[in-house]
Amino acid sequence: MSHTLAYILGIVILIVGIGLSVALHELGHMLPAKRFGVKVPEYFIGFGPKLWSTRRGETEYGVKAIWLGGYVRLLGMLPPARPGHPDKPGSMIAEARAESLAELGPDEQDRAFYRLSTPRKLLVMAGGILTNLALGVICLTVALGVVGQPAYTAKLGSVSACVSSNIDAGAACTASDPVSPAALAGLQAGDTIISWGGEATSDWAQVQEAIAAAGTEPADVVVRRDGEELTVTVTAVEVARTVYDADGNPATDSAGEPVTRLRPYVGIGPSLGTVRTSPAQIPQVVGGAVGMTLKAIITLPAGLYHAVAAGLGLEERGADGLVSLVGVGRIAGEVSSAGTGSDTGMPFSIRLFYMLNLLGSLNLALFAFNLIPLLPLDGGHVAGACWEGGRRVWARAHGRPDPGYADTARMLPVGQVVFYLLIIMALILIWVDIVAPI
């Protein structure tokens, strides 16, 4: 497959993943709503022109052209105006109330969403939010525990033919250089080290530790080659190797000369692949990802400021900064096409890990973003239900009359402002992703 086709394929996979996430998010709203009797006339993935639809019972299910979201239409989301507090005729609030209740017949008034109890409202509105959380956790868990994180593995990527005169500089072998211990023992590229000197090895770090522990004593090494296990004996030699500091730079002494240290040398190099995360560590890693996503939402204004500053060239753009769907699409394309047509390219397992991680992160972002307690986000409806329930509990506790439904329609002007701010933010991030891509 060509690089261009692989890049496009990555974007297509991302679009399909977003579409599925949206579809399941809206199902998270629709299923409990139907279960509680709310009338649901429409369930669509996408916006804009209708591409396909079918009707099942009272609900029309379909797909629209622009896969940047979706919706499920629940009738009666807004309650009627309170007695004695009519809306201004022709106002946005009055029209929104009328539209919300228009399709409910006289015998269907009890099927309006606003008639649900507070716990049921919370289940309906939180259903989509929690669906994204579940999808994010599932994607990250599969990426970590099934596919594995990118790492150097116990599978050999290279075997040196000799002990060269300058190993760290990658000096070529000469006729006078001795044969490497790995070549003498018969190790080959593609062998997977199962154990070294009796120490089990599942990744490259463990192989390095086992070599250091064995020193220059003969060590029995068990490898898997072509599906079979073989045992060879390897005797490392001691060579002077450059010492590196914590930043990966060569350490120097007081005279500025490179610092070296005698270490066991075998002459093998690892291959890049994936190493599965221990089941005991996965909750901590996934929990950390959820926490970082929530922090990003809490610090959204600061993140937007840094994105704009990067777009204006005032600072370097951080790899963990805010991105738009354009930036996410670029990442998906680059991951999918990495190393296409090259023997030294990124292994498929690593590309699969990054794609699952990307889809998981997107779902966590949708989860966290919808927690914001403002309309038109789900969090705004959750906040309205909580306010309604709190007022009723307080009224019962103090012997007061039922205060009635929370009039979320009064927050529609605020919701409209939030909607326009979201559009502006999306356009800003698209601009930043074009002029200062991550």
Side-chain angles (χ1 to χ4, degrees):
M1 182 183 294
S2 70
H3 182 275
T4 301
L5 285 177
Y7 192 97
I8 295 173
L9 177 61
I11 296 175
V12 171
I13 292 172
L14 175 68
I15 292 172
V16 172
I18 292 175
L20 289 174
S21 298
V22 169
L24 293 172
H25 172 98
E26 300 304 337
L27 274 180
H29 293 311
M30 186 183 73
L31 293 180
K34 280 179 168 287
R35 177 67 179 82
F36 299 144
V38 177
K39 189 171 183 179
V40 183
E42 291 183 352
Y43 168 91
F44 273 86
I45 302 171
F47 301 108
K50 185 189 301 183
L51 300 179
W52 170 86
S53 71
T54 184
R55 181 170 292 279
R56 294 289 185 271
E58 65 185 15
T59 305
E60 181 184 11
Y61 302 86
V63 178
K64 295 190 175 182
I66 305 172
W67 280 26
L68 295 180
Y71 68 93
V72 56
R73 194 153 67 91
L74 311 180
L75 296 188
M77 289 291 292
L78 303 175
R82 293 179 179 278
H85 297 82
D87 299 319
K88 182 179 178 181
S91 66
M92 178 182 67
I93 295 176
E95 291 178 355
R97 286 193 207 274
E99 182 180 349
S100 174
L101 300 168
E103 296 179 47
L104 288 171
D107 58 342
E108 295 179 319
Q109 294 303 307
D110 60 340
R111 299 188 63 191
F113 173 81
Y114 78 87
R115 301 286 294 268
L116 294 179
S117 64
T118 296
R120 290 188 171 188
K121 284 181 179 177
L122 291 175
L123 284 173
V124 171
M125 298 316 302
I129 302 174
L130 295 178
T131 297
N132 286 128
L133 174 62
L135 288 173
V137 170
I138 290 171
C139 285
L140 294 181
T141 300
V142 172
L144 294 166
V146 178
V147 179
Q149 297 189 73
Y152 287 113
T153 70
K155 184 177 181 179
L156 301 184
S158 63
V159 174
S160 299
C162 70
V163 181
S164 70
S165 58
N166 193 335
I167 296 169
D168 292 323
C173 293
T174 65
S176 61
D177 291 333
V179 179
S180 73
L184 280 173
L187 291 175
Q188 300 177 9
D191 289 347
T192 299
I193 308 297
I194 297 174
S195 67
W196 192 290
E199 296 293 329
T201 54
S202 60
D203 56 37
W204 180 244
Q206 292 178 349
V207 172
Q208 290 179 306
E209 292 171 1
I211 292 173
T216 56
E217 296 295 322
D220 288 334
V221 179
V222 180
V223 302
R224 182 182 297 109
R225 180 186 300 166
D226 298 328
E228 298 182 359
E229 290 189 7
L230 306 173
T231 301
V232 299
T233 301
V234 181
T235 304
V237 295
E238 207 167 49
V239 299
R241 303 295 301 273
T242 302
V243 176
Y244 295 89
D245 60 22
D247 296 324
N249 301 314
T252 56
D253 57 20
S254 56
E257 296 296 321
V259 177
T260 60
R261 182 177 301 158
L262 291 175
R263 293 177 180 171
Y265 176 75
V266 174
I268 56 176
S271 62
L272 188 62
T274 53
V275 176
R276 293 175 180 173
T277 303
S278 165
Q281 295 178 324
I282 290 177
Q284 179 181 357
V285 177
V286 173
V290 174
M292 289 178 62
T293 305
L294 291 172
K295 181 180 178 181
I297 297 301
I298 294 172
T299 59
L300 189 62
L304 191 60
Y305 165 80
H306 288 296
V308 172
L312 296 173
L314 302 178
E315 62 179 61
E316 290 292 326
R317 192 173 184 192
D320 57 349
L322 299 176
V323 293
S324 70
L325 284 177
V326 170
V328 174
R330 178 186 288 114
I331 294 171
E334 291 175 350
V335 167
S336 178
S337 61
T340 304
S342 170
D343 293 335
T344 58
M346 185 184 292
F348 173 76
S349 60
I350 295 181
R351 285 183 272 173
L352 180 58
F353 168 83
Y354 281 128
M355 195 62 73
L356 286 171
N357 189 65
L358 185 62
L359 290 173
S361 298
L362 277 173
N363 274 282
L364 291 184
L366 287 172
F367 155 72
F369 202 72
N370 273 299
L371 289 177
I372 297 176
L374 293 172
L375 295 177
L377 302 172
D378 291 343
H381 295 288
V382 170
C386 290
W387 173 249
E388 176 182 303
R391 291 173 67 226
R392 283 178 162 168
V393 169
W394 189 89
R396 280 197 302 268
H398 292 79
R400 301 283 183 87
D402 185 346
Y405 306 108
D407 193 3
T408 51
R410 297 293 178 185
M411 294 300 295
L412 287 178
V414 175
Q416 192 172 42
V417 172
V418 172
F419 176 75
Y420 288 125
L421 288 176
L422 292 177
I423 292 177
I424 293 171
M425 183 180 72
L427 293 175
I428 290 174
L429 290 178
I430 290 172
W431 164 70
V432 175
D433 280 331
I434 293 173
V435 300
I438 292 178

